[in-house]
Amino acid sequence: VGVFVARRPSDVRVAVTGAGGDGVFRVTAFEEALKKRFSAKALDGLTAPPAGLNDDIHGSAAYRAHLIGVMARRAVEAA
């Protein structure tokens, strides 16, 4: 799972790769929270839905959903 967070002057994007069968996708709930306050704390209590995520021997869909949140918070902290 990889998470990309980009902060632009008027927008925030959160993209995820390696978690679902459809390729790269955005997490709009995270984007909306980060638009209001660009801080890792803004993501507290938010999770990516596990529906549609890969579920295999390498990790369950629930684990991948949790990992998306962890990686997003780390990306924001690093920014």
Side-chain angles (χ1 to χ4, degrees):
V1 173
V3 178
F4 171 83
V5 177
R7 181 179 186 194
R8 301 186 300 188
S10 63
D11 212 2
V12 175
R13 294 283 192 247
V14 178
V16 178
T17 187
D22 293 335
V24 177
F25 60 92
R26 290 173 45 199
V27 184
T28 56
F30 288 16
E31 292 175 353
E32 292 302 319
L34 291 171
K35 283 179 194 176
K36 293 175 186 170
R37 179 177 170 213
F38 194 80
S39 165
K41 292 214 178 267
L43 300 176
D44 286 351
L46 295 178
T47 59
L53 297 182
N54 293 337
D55 189 17
D56 56 27
I57 63 169
H58 302 290
S60 68
Y63 171 75
R64 292 173 199 273
H66 173 74
L67 190 57
I68 290 168
V70 170
M71 299 295 284
R73 284 174 187 80
R74 288 180 182 176
V76 171
E77 288 171 355

